[in-house]
């Protein structure tokens, strides 16, 4: 991967019929190291994952899962599925490769690379049309930030509404120059008044800036 483009992390609370997410929910597992094959001639995809901290019986009781091997760090499972518009494939239809997949408690987490903010916006918009609970977790331009200069921001300081306001503003291009949307556009999307939007945005920005300055 070159230094150009954006590294994006997002989560999906209800990712449809995603076997990886359903296993993490049903078996109480942390699912990591997900690997996928290319579709075969019949459109079948082979997928593998590692499950840790899990009720293995709940996974092995599933007819669609086969245990490959077990290690001290968890068990490796494999299953096949038809190529459908799952979350990963919905992202990759925009020519944005998915770099990492994990799931916990039924929530799917993805990391992918996009060439620009417009592509990210298009992907998030499409995912929100398909699934509930899509949250943009972070965007970082590749090569722009030295890890030692990174600052951890505690998003738990934000209310759910403040986070929604920030995410919507970013997705609609409110912070870009020239702006992709003005305050009225974002407020309309959120179904709130412009003054309420401004209040939520100011409160969220103050909390985030306080964290940055404190660091």
């Amino acid at each position: 991967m070159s230094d150009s483009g954006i590294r994006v992390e997002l989560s999906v609370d209800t990712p449809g019929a995603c076997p990886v997410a359903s296993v993490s929910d049903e078996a109480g597992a942390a699912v990591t190291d997900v690997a996928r094959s290319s579709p075969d001639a019949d459109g079948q995809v082979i997928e593998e994952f590692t499950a840790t901290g899990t009720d293995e019986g709940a996974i092995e009781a599933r007819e669609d899962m086969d245990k490959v091997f077990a290690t001290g760090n968890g068990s490796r499972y494999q299953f096949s599925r038809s190529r459908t518009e799952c979350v990963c494939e919905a992202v990759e239809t925009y020519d944005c490769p998915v770099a990492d997949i994990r799931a916990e408690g039924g929530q799917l987490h993805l990391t992918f690379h996009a060439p620009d903010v417009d592509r990210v916006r298009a992907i998030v918009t499409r995912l929100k049309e398909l699934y509930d609970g899509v949250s943009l977790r972070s965007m970082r331009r590749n090569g722009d930030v030295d890890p030692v200069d990174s600052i951890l921001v505690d998003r738990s300081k934000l209310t759910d509404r403040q986070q929604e306001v920030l995410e919507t503003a970013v997705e609609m291009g409110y912070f870009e120059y020239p702006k992709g949307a003005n305050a009225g556009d974002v407020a309309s999307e959120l179904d709130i008044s412009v003054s309420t939007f401004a209040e939520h945005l100011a409160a969220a920005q103050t909390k985030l800036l306080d964290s940055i300055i404190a660091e």
Side-chain angles (χ1 to χ4, degrees):
M1 174 61 67
S2 68
D3 285 344
S4 62
I6 301 170
R7 179 182 174 87
V8 182
E9 296 180 18
L10 59 77
S11 62
V12 183
D13 291 342
T14 53
C18 172
V20 168
S22 64
V23 162
S24 75
D25 187 30
E26 295 167 6
V31 175
T32 58
D33 300 322
V34 179
R36 298 169 294 148
S37 71
S38 299
D40 63 17
D42 297 321
Q44 291 292 304
V45 175
I46 304 298
E47 198 157 340
E48 289 189 359
F49 63 87
T50 298
T52 57
T54 178
D55 173 8
E56 291 194 4
I59 301 179
E60 293 171 11
R62 293 180 55 140
E63 295 182 357
D64 59 338
M65 299 284 170
D66 293 317
K67 189 172 183 178
V68 181
F69 60 83
T71 69
N73 296 321
S75 297
R76 190 76 176 167
Y77 294 89
Q78 183 183 90
F79 64 93
S80 64
R81 60 174 175 82
S82 297
R83 189 182 191 282
T84 58
E85 194 175 24
C86 70
V87 178
C88 301
E89 284 149 1
V91 170
E92 291 179 340
T93 59
Y94 290 85
D95 295 325
C96 294
V98 172
D100 184 65
I101 307 165
R102 59 187 176 85
E104 191 163 5
Q107 186 181 65
L108 190 69
H109 297 261
L110 291 184
T111 300
F112 64 91
H113 296 278
D116 51 46
V117 173
D118 286 342
R119 194 76 58 90
V120 176
R121 185 181 301 117
I123 290 170
V124 173
T125 298
R126 178 57 179 158
L127 292 181
K128 286 188 172 182
E129 292 172 353
L130 296 171
Y131 310 103
D132 292 329
V134 177
S135 297
L136 184 62
R137 296 295 182 179
S138 71
M139 292 196 304
R140 179 172 140 182
R141 196 165 294 280
N142 293 318
D144 275 2
V145 180
D146 186 330
V148 300
D149 292 329
S150 298
I151 294 173
L152 181 64
V153 175
D154 184 4
R155 287 175 304 173
S156 67
K157 294 180 180 180
L158 301 178
T159 65
D160 290 343
R161 193 56 161 165
Q162 288 167 356
Q163 184 163 325
E164 181 185 21
V165 166
L166 274 178
E167 288 177 354
T168 304
V170 169
E171 290 162 13
M172 295 184 68
Y174 177 80
F175 297 106
E176 296 177 11
Y177 181 81
K179 285 184 179 292
N182 59 33
D185 296 330
V186 182
S188 177
E189 177 68 19
L190 292 163
D191 197 23
I192 58 178
S193 68
V194 173
S195 61
T196 300
F197 164 73
E199 289 171 4
H200 284 306
L201 185 63
Q205 289 177 320
T206 297
K207 289 178 180 179
L208 294 178
L209 287 172
D210 285 347
S211 296
I212 293 170
I213 293 170
E215 291 290 340

